Amino acid sequence: MDLEDFLVSVPFEIRENINRENKFSIGGHIKFDIDEEINENSIVLISLPQEHTLEIEEDSDFFYSKVREQFYQLAYSNWKRSIYDLGTILPGETFEDTCFALHNIVSQFSERKITVVFIGGTQALSYIIYKGIKKKYINVATIDFKLDMDASVQKLNSRNFITHMILDEEQKLLEYVNIGSQAPYNATEEFDILEQLNFENVRLGKVTESISIAEPLLREMDLVSVDLGVLQRSSFSSALVKTPNGLNEREICGIMRYCGLSESLKKIHISNGLIDTEEDAFLVSEMLWYLIDAKNNQKSDVDLETYRVLFDDQEIVFFKSKNSERWWIQVFVDDALKKIPCNESDYLNTLKGDLPDKWLKFFKKFY
């Protein structure tokens, strides 16, 4: 089936407000129809409907018009990647119908290695996106105040989609990390499960201490799922679940920039928000801008410097990119070299005699 069979184009009333003559704005460059130029360097925007079981007003804006209108007005920098806004997937007669359409869209874009940003819908749809990615093993990150590992209900929902990934019969989940969790909303047992599986969780306090901790965690992801409830209520009022604590505007835009710097990341899902105020639409449009700007400014990591640290009776090898200044730790798996993304602080701590947690977790997973 063609992609157009599942999509409804951006309405004319939204398009007519775009100044197409202004080539300094995104609206002057954005494309609304698939053409022969769409390729792995392209970035596609698609909005998703809300889950049928949620109490959503009938006149809910499935097109996220406020976000689109703000996004089109933002500056278009010296970008080389084409941007497509292909509209929305309207709800099917059942939730399963919507999942079928989404899975087909993800599968087709995954085969063509095209970056797709999905906005809206329940976070449960991140599982459908995960299922549609055409890879043997998949790395997933969530930006979320809550670990969605509820085992009390088997049917897929926004509170248990990570459990579905973990228990999926295909067993494609290789790496998983959650960034921004808050202890009051999570059971201790959930943290223990992640620890036992050698997955990672970075609590809110760690992230706010230094936002740069998120960059290496996101560097090799295939899918990033953002629950807008991770934002503090004073920064974003349109989340389905609002908490007094959380990330602020600058921190979430910084995390989106790190997502954009990842060469492997091709699927991003921003969900669990109705975005019914102009202020919140501004923030989500800026999140998109920082993601796309970073995608257009990725740097090559071919030229690496080597740093060696003698630790007990073994040598720990680090690499630093001369171009991007990103860091890695060297490990061997079945006599094959592998580089684990890390921060400069991991190198400095190793000099002091403290091995990075990610180095230890790696060996726990494979040995």
Side-chain angles (χ1 to χ4, degrees):
M1 299 180 72
D2 292 333
L3 288 170
E4 289 86 348
D5 294 336
F6 303 108
L7 295 166
V8 177
S9 299
V10 177
F12 174 74
E13 54 267 26
I14 299 178
R15 296 197 201 189
E16 68 177 348
N17 293 325
I18 303 174
N19 182 2
R20 301 292 281 179
E21 301 301 318
N22 182 5
K23 297 304 179 182
F24 296 102
S25 70
I26 292 173
H29 295 267
I30 199 157
K31 300 180 179 183
F32 294 102
D33 300 293
I34 297 174
D35 55 32
E36 66 280 356
E37 295 180 2
I38 192 168
N39 57 40
E40 63 183 35
N41 291 318
S42 303
I43 300 172
V44 173
L45 174 65
I46 296 174
S47 51
L48 302 177
Q50 299 294 337
E51 188 176 1
H52 292 71
T53 56
L54 294 176
E55 295 181 2
I56 306 299
E57 297 295 332
E58 290 185 2
D59 60 350
S60 291
D61 180 14
F62 293 128
F63 289 96
Y64 294 89
S65 304
K66 291 185 176 67
V67 174
R68 284 183 155 96
E69 289 168 356
Q70 300 298 341
F71 177 63
Y72 299 154
Q73 295 178 48
L74 296 179
Y76 187 90
S77 298
N78 297 322
W79 295 343
K80 297 179 180 179
R81 294 175 181 257
S82 298
I83 307 173
Y84 293 78
D85 187 346
L86 300 184
T88 192
I89 303 174
L90 287 177
E93 292 185 7
T94 66
F95 180 58
E96 288 71 24
D97 292 337
T98 303
C99 291
F100 175 80
L102 176 59
H103 186 276
N104 274 275
I105 289 172
V106 174
S107 296
Q108 292 191 49
F109 279 125
S110 182
E111 289 174 351
R112 300 160 77 173
K113 300 180 180 179
I114 294 171
T115 299
V116 190
V117 185
F118 296 99
I119 301 179
T122 167
Q123 199 176 16
L125 292 174
S126 288
Y127 174 68
I128 307 302
I129 297 170
Y130 164 84
K131 292 284 286 182
I133 295 174
K134 299 295 185 181
K135 290 187 69 177
K136 182 177 181 179
Y137 296 111
I138 300 174
N139 297 332
V140 177
T142 50
I143 317 299
D144 205 330
F145 73 100
K146 191 177 188 309
L147 302 176
D148 296 310
M149 300 170 61
D150 183 6
S152 62
V153 178
Q154 290 188 349
K155 184 177 180 181
L156 175 66
N157 61 43
S158 62
R159 298 175 299 279
N160 68 9
F161 74 98
I162 295 298
T163 300
H164 278 258
M165 290 183 186
I166 294 172
L167 300 179
D168 188 84
E169 60 183 11
E170 294 184 73
Q171 294 185 336
K172 297 199 299 183
L173 186 62
L174 179 63
E175 301 283 352
Y176 171 67
V177 60
N178 181 77
I179 298 172
S181 67
Q182 298 182 43
Y185 303 96
N186 294 278
T188 303
E189 290 78 9
E190 293 173 329
F191 294 123
D192 293 340
I193 291 173
L194 289 188
E195 183 70 23
Q196 292 166 11
L197 294 172
N198 289 309
F199 292 149
E200 290 198 63
N201 172 63
V202 183
R203 300 194 184 192
L204 177 64
K206 286 287 186 182
V207 182
T208 55
E209 280 179 14
S210 176
I211 192 70
S212 64
I213 195 175
E215 189 280 320
L217 296 172
L218 296 168
R219 198 181 303 168
E220 295 185 347
M221 293 296 113
D222 300 296
L223 165 65
V224 171
S225 175
V226 182
D227 182 340
L228 289 167
V230 76
L231 292 160
Q232 59 190 14
R233 183 183 302 176
S234 58
S235 296
F236 190 84
S237 62
S238 299
L240 295 185
V241 178
K242 306 174 183 67
T243 63
N245 291 303
L247 298 174
N248 63 28
E249 300 91 333
R250 293 183 181 86
E251 290 161 346
I252 192 63
C253 286
I255 286 174
M256 294 303 289
R257 177 177 175 272
Y258 291 144
C259 288
L261 292 176
S262 167
E263 295 180 7
S264 64
L265 180 57
K266 299 292 184 180
K267 304 294 178 288
I268 303 97
H269 182 203
I270 302 172
S271 65
N272 286 358
L274 297 180
I275 317 177
D276 52 6
T277 71
E278 194 168 281
E279 293 80 6
D280 291 345
F282 264 117
L283 178 55
V284 175
S285 66
E286 285 191 13
M287 289 168 60
L288 296 175
W289 189 93
Y290 280 100
L291 170 71
I292 293 171
D293 184 66
K295 277 288 182 186
N296 280 275
N297 288 282
Q298 291 175 347
K299 296 181 179 180
S300 171
D301 292 314
V302 175
D303 194 3
L304 300 176
E305 295 178 314
T306 304
Y307 295 79
R308 303 177 187 277
V309 180
L310 188 62
F311 187 89
D312 290 340
D313 294 331
Q314 62 181 316
E315 187 178 61
I316 310 296
V317 179
F318 289 83
F319 298 103
K320 178 185 178 183
S321 169
K322 291 182 179 180
N323 198 15
S324 69
E325 298 188 350
R326 295 191 290 192
W327 287 77
W328 292 262
I329 313 173
Q330 175 179 282
V331 295
F332 284 94
V333 181
D334 297 329
D335 296 324
L337 172 65
K338 179 176 174 59
K339 301 194 297 293
I340 305 174
C342 67
N343 273 321
E344 182 179 17
S345 59
D346 293 308
Y347 165 67
L348 296 175
N349 288 334
T350 304
L351 288 174
K352 299 175 184 177
D354 296 325
L355 279 176
D357 288 341
K358 51 180 62 69
W359 189 88
L360 297 169
K361 281 181 177 291
F362 179 87
F363 283 100
K364 284 183 181 179
K365 178 169 293 188
F366 289 96
Y367 299 101

